[in-house]
Amino acid sequence: LRHRVSGSHGSSTMCAPTTAKTKPNVPVVGRLGGGGKGAVGKEVYLHDLGAVRGEYFFKPPRFVTRFLERHLNDVRDMEIAWLLFNILVTMYPSLIALFTVLPPSHLLGATYLVVFNALYLQRFILAMHYSTHKRLFKRGFLANLANKSILVLMAPIFGIPSNTYALHHIVMHHVDNNEWNKDLSATEGYQRDNFLHWVVYWVRFVAGSWVELPYYAFSKKRWGLFAQCAGGMAASLAALVWLWRINPVATGWTVVAPFLVASTAMMFGNWSQHAFVCPKHPRCNYRLAYTVLNHPDNQKSFNDGFHTLHHVNSQIHWTDFPTKFVEKLGDHAEKDALVFNGIGFFDVGVALFFHRHGFLADRYVNVGQKPRTREEVIELLKERLRPLPPPPPRASPTTSTRVAS
């Protein structure tokens, strides 16, 4: 399939076949480089399509899997359920042991924090993410409790205040879509390759979310969400005080430290995912996010690298992203979307802090966008990193209508 593109550089043809040439069942989606003079690299194959999943570490007993098959809303989410089972049978017993049978120990607490965050934090955040967009278990009283327990009971052991994630991510982030003064985690007002700007962004989230999130629900008159968020925050703080009185050492390592770690991970992740925002089209989903292909993180994070498509349609199932990406290559090309190969969001964020724009340009994939030289790709990246001005204030409503004579 050839996508013909034209622009200020004249007319050109970029070969972006959607069927494999030499590798069975692995489609070619584009070429490395901008596609301009001296910037046409190797073909990029979509190895994410059909890749072996790595979101869980071990399967539960067969009877558990059979139970899950009957009760999952979509059996394709079995990897999410298996991951949650892994957490339940390894992390929870360790957490309980730190507060009961084990002596207070900074070494044991630090080991718990490092081991379980290394194993599960990234995986759990994305499992929670997709199971919030599309319910994990079928409808019913017990199923609803199981779905809710992910946000209410499991999120806090990873440092995410109880019952706050859905409001922040589903209601705020996806509705207000990274817009200044609306989305708490909006990035567009910052210079996204400036580390000090990220520090300000992180501090605002860590401190401000305790006020801004419930106020957001209150201002929108979403009383149920307001009650859930405020109640979840109050319960999280009450649990912190109670556990501190029982065992301050264990509480520091299992409640306080995870909050700081999770806040840092989530805000660095969101900053990286929305680092590139087109100043002319900041609300275009193809231009406020980007895609990362063929990186191992995609197999640990439920294909989170296809973040552009997730913003285009948050109801796309995570298993469908690679196929949908191939189907939507033309849209990515037409809307000048950014696509990178062989790197993850963490790599992008770190590269930006070290101003390694050339490193990113070398991993840029042309899927049919306007041909650019390497220098022009770097300039495009820099343009989309610049802060956007605050949105203009909304016009006050008028009490009368002016009629032209």
Side-chain angles (χ1 to χ4, degrees):
L1 176 65
R2 291 178 180 270
H3 298 298
R4 184 172 296 277
V5 293
S6 61
S8 60
H9 295 267
S11 211
S12 178
T13 299
M14 171 63 197
C15 185
T18 56
T19 57
K21 289 182 176 179
T22 60
K23 300 183 180 182
N25 303 318
V26 183
V28 176
V29 294
R31 285 185 179 273
L32 286 174
K37 184 177 180 181
V40 179
K42 296 180 179 179
E43 291 176 332
V44 175
Y45 292 83
L46 187 59
H47 295 289
D48 291 316
L49 188 63
V52 177
R53 305 315 311 169
E55 282 85 2
Y56 64 94
F57 293 96
F58 56 89
K59 296 180 181 180
R62 181 59 189 160
F63 75 90
V64 175
T65 297
R66 288 197 297 266
F67 174 85
L68 293 171
E69 288 173 346
R70 293 195 302 271
H71 295 282
L72 285 176
N73 192 49
D74 189 330
V75 74
R76 293 178 297 173
D77 288 323
M78 187 63 74
E79 282 82 1
I80 294 179
W82 285 344
L83 170 65
L84 299 181
F85 178 84
N86 290 179
I87 294 169
L88 285 171
V89 301
T90 59
M91 193 169 178
Y92 272 91
S94 302
L95 175 64
I96 294 170
L98 286 175
F99 282 94
T100 55
V101 299
L102 296 176
S105 167
H106 287 291
L107 177 60
L108 291 174
T111 301
Y112 167 91
L113 179 72
V114 172
V115 169
F116 286 117
N117 276 277
L119 291 176
Y120 294 137
L121 179 61
Q122 179 190 24
R123 291 172 167 90
F124 172 76
I125 289 175
L126 273 304
M128 175 179 65
H129 169 243
Y130 287 115
S131 63
T132 303
H133 276 286
K134 296 175 76 72
R135 60 186 298 116
L136 185 59
F137 295 100
K138 296 176 181 178
R139 298 187 182 277
F141 178 73
L142 293 179
N144 289 337
L145 289 179
N147 287 320
K148 202 68 177 174
S149 68
I150 300 171
L151 300 174
V152 176
L153 299 177
M154 297 193 77
I157 71 169
F158 288 97
I160 302 166
S162 180
N163 222 11
T164 59
Y165 181 79
L167 171 61
H168 175 219
H169 185 77
I170 305 295
V171 180
M172 177 185 282
H173 180 63
H174 273 274
V175 173
D176 293 325
N177 217 19
N178 201 50
E179 185 173 350
W180 258 65
N181 301 326
K182 290 184 177 181
D183 182 355
L184 170 63
S185 53
T187 61
E188 63 181 32
Y190 302 89
Q191 179 68 39
R192 272 92 62 193
D193 57 359
N194 186 315
F195 177 73
L196 292 180
H197 279 221
W198 177 79
V199 172
V200 173
Y201 173 81
W202 176 80
V203 169
R204 183 209 170 175
F205 177 81
V206 170
S209 60
W210 296 91
V211 175
E212 290 190 50
L213 270 181
Y215 175 75
Y216 179 88
F218 182 85
S219 66
K220 300 290 184 181
K221 298 182 180 180
R222 302 289 296 270
W223 308 122
L225 286 172
F226 170 75
Q228 291 175 30
C229 178
M233 287 181 166
S236 296
L237 291 174
L240 168 64
V241 173
W242 178 61
L243 292 172
W244 190 273
R245 291 175 177 174
I246 296 172
N247 188 333
V249 173
T251 303
W253 289 109
T254 63
V255 180
V256 179
F259 170 72
L260 297 175
V261 171
S263 298
T264 301
M266 294 173 73
M267 288 303 97
F268 180 73
N270 193 75
W271 175 277
S272 299
Q273 290 175 330
H274 295 284
F276 300 106
V277 181
C278 177
K280 296 179 182 177
H281 306 281
R283 301 282 75 76
C284 172
N285 288 311
Y286 286 92
R287 296 180 175 99
L288 60 78
Y290 60 93
T291 302
V292 291
L293 307 176
N294 301 324
H295 189 272
D297 278 357
N298 281 350
Q299 281 71 63
K300 297 188 295 183
S301 62
F302 306 94
N303 286 324
D304 190 47
F306 297 89
H307 201 63
T308 297
L309 284 177
H310 177 62
H311 271 266
V312 170
N313 181 358
S314 64
Q315 291 304 296
I316 296 176
H317 195 271
W318 62 269
T319 59
D320 291 332
F321 279 133
T323 302
K324 291 292 184 183
F325 178 74
V326 174
E327 293 175 3
K328 298 289 186 179
L329 279 177
D331 291 340
H332 284 75
E334 178 186 351
K335 294 178 170 58
D336 208 13
L338 294 179
V339 181
F340 299 100
N341 181 63
I343 54 177
F345 293 124
F346 179 86
D347 305 307
V348 173
V350 172
L352 290 177
F353 287 154
F354 285 94
H355 292 190
R356 298 185 64 194
H357 306 99
F359 169 85
L360 298 175
D362 292 337
R363 287 150 182 83
Y364 171 88
V365 181
N366 191 306
V367 298
Q369 306 96 317
K370 178 177 72 173
R372 293 181 172 93
T373 65
R374 183 176 187 271
E375 291 70 26
E376 288 170 336
V377 172
I378 292 174
E379 183 53 40
L380 171 69
L381 299 181
K382 290 182 177 180
E383 178 188 43
R384 295 192 182 184
L385 290 167
R386 297 184 186 116
L388 272 65
R394 293 183 178 181
S396 57
T398 57
T399 56
S400 61
T401 303
R402 180 175 296 177
V403 179
S405 57

